[in-house]
Amino acid sequence: MQKKAPKIDPSLVADFPLFNDMKKEDIGDILEKGVAKHYKKGDRFFDQFDEATHFFLMLDGYLEVSKTTEEGSQVIMRHFGVGELFGVAPAIAQKNYPATSRALVDCVAILWENKFWDLFLVEHPQFIKNAYSAIGQRLAQSQERIVEMSTEQVERRVAHAVMRLTHQCGVKTETGILIDFPVSRQDIAEMTGTTLHTVSRLFSAWSTKGLMQVGRQKIEVLEAHKLALLAQGH
């Protein structure tokens, strides 16, 4: 169930990379053309193959993007957090969303109708430039994941996945870095192309060594440097 959220003050988003080198009045104009909405945990922003009608900016919360293969298997593609643009089908000339996007916690997002993409291209080219910069970074990250899946042993792939989540969605605690949304061993398995049993075995070994603490849908990395070394094959 979704409900309309209050109007967004441009000063609250001015520090997002999406609005780098933009004037406050230009940011305000862009925000006024969008609609801010609340999404409950588990709500879907869109489903795979749905007609692409809007693009989105996350203001609060985290979401998961996943694809379902022809065989029916689910593959988690990426997680998005505060300040990130997603569902940008018009940027890649797609008429349908290529994946499903689901709220991992209660979220607030701004959505714009796709027609505004071309308008922003003319009226706010810096916004579009920043958006394509972010899309380019994601493409590079996707290529890195393909290399990992093709060439690395499973231990390195899983370590990379956990470290990637700490960088994207990690919150510092007194003892380490907590991944700031519910994430399960099965989620990690789907992200890395391995099995639940393998992830459980690795997590158990790493917990015994003091590298991490794992609870029900909760992961806290205690020794990020050592886990990063594992990801690098050391």
Side-chain angles (χ1 to χ4, degrees):
M1 189 71 180
Q2 303 166 2
K3 60 181 180 179
K4 193 170 181 179
K7 184 177 179 180
I8 303 301
D9 185 335
S11 64
L12 298 178
V13 302
D15 291 335
F16 290 178
L18 185 62
F19 297 110
N20 281 350
D21 302 318
M22 294 187 64
K23 297 178 181 179
K24 184 176 180 179
E25 53 267 30
D26 292 330
I27 297 173
D29 182 59
I30 289 172
L31 295 179
E32 286 179 2
K33 290 179 171 62
V35 177
K37 288 188 176 180
H38 287 282
Y39 293 80
K40 294 293 186 182
K41 178 182 177 180
D43 282 353
R44 295 184 178 184
F45 296 86
F46 47 81
D47 283 309
Q48 186 174 346
F49 304 129
D50 279 355
E51 180 184 359
T53 57
H54 296 79
F55 57 99
F56 306 74
L57 172 65
M58 182 65 80
L59 296 179
D60 186 41
Y62 297 99
L63 66 91
E64 170 190 280
V65 174
S66 63
K67 294 191 72 167
T68 301
T69 67
E70 292 182 359
E71 294 76 22
S73 300
Q74 179 175 287
V75 179
I76 296 176
M77 306 300 294
R78 197 181 191 280
H79 295 87
F80 287 83
V82 175
E84 293 194 273
L85 197 66
F86 62 99
V88 285
I92 54 175
Q94 295 292 312
K95 294 183 178 180
N96 302 89
Y97 295 115
T100 295
S101 178
R102 179 176 63 88
L104 294 172
V105 295
D106 289 353
C107 297
V108 180
I110 299 179
L111 55 156
W112 292 271
E113 293 180 49
N114 280 351
K115 66 181 181 181
F116 289 117
W117 187 266
D118 289 337
L119 180 66
F120 294 162
L121 182 62
V122 175
E123 295 186 352
H124 302 293
Q126 186 62 45
F127 175 86
I128 299 297
K129 178 181 178 182
N130 293 338
Y132 275 116
S133 176
I135 293 168
Q137 291 173 13
R138 290 176 207 165
L139 178 60
Q141 292 167 359
S142 296
Q143 291 173 336
E144 289 175 4
R145 284 190 63 188
I146 291 172
V147 171
E148 290 172 12
M149 296 285 282
S150 302
T151 64
E152 294 183 357
Q153 296 295 320
V154 65
E155 182 180 47
R156 291 185 62 188
R157 297 204 309 268
V158 173
H160 264 130
V162 174
M163 291 305 300
R164 191 177 293 113
L165 288 176
T166 64
H167 293 149
Q168 291 177 350
C169 314
V171 175
K172 289 186 178 180
T173 67
E174 292 183 358
T175 53
I177 304 174
L178 177 68
I179 296 174
D180 195 30
F181 59 80
V183 57
S184 68
R185 294 170 177 84
Q186 182 62 41
D187 293 333
I188 300 296
E190 291 174 1
M191 292 170 61
T192 55
T194 188
T195 64
L196 173 60
H197 173 75
T198 298
V199 172
S200 296
R201 176 176 56 80
L202 288 171
F203 278 12
S204 178
W206 294 345
S207 296
T208 299
K209 293 178 181 179
L211 302 185
M212 64 196 310
Q213 287 184 340
V214 182
R216 188 175 181 275
Q217 294 196 323
K218 177 181 177 182
I219 298 174
E220 182 177 8
V221 175
L222 306 179
E223 296 284 354
H225 176 67
K226 292 181 179 179
L227 193 60
L229 288 176
L230 280 178
Q232 295 166 14
H234 299 301

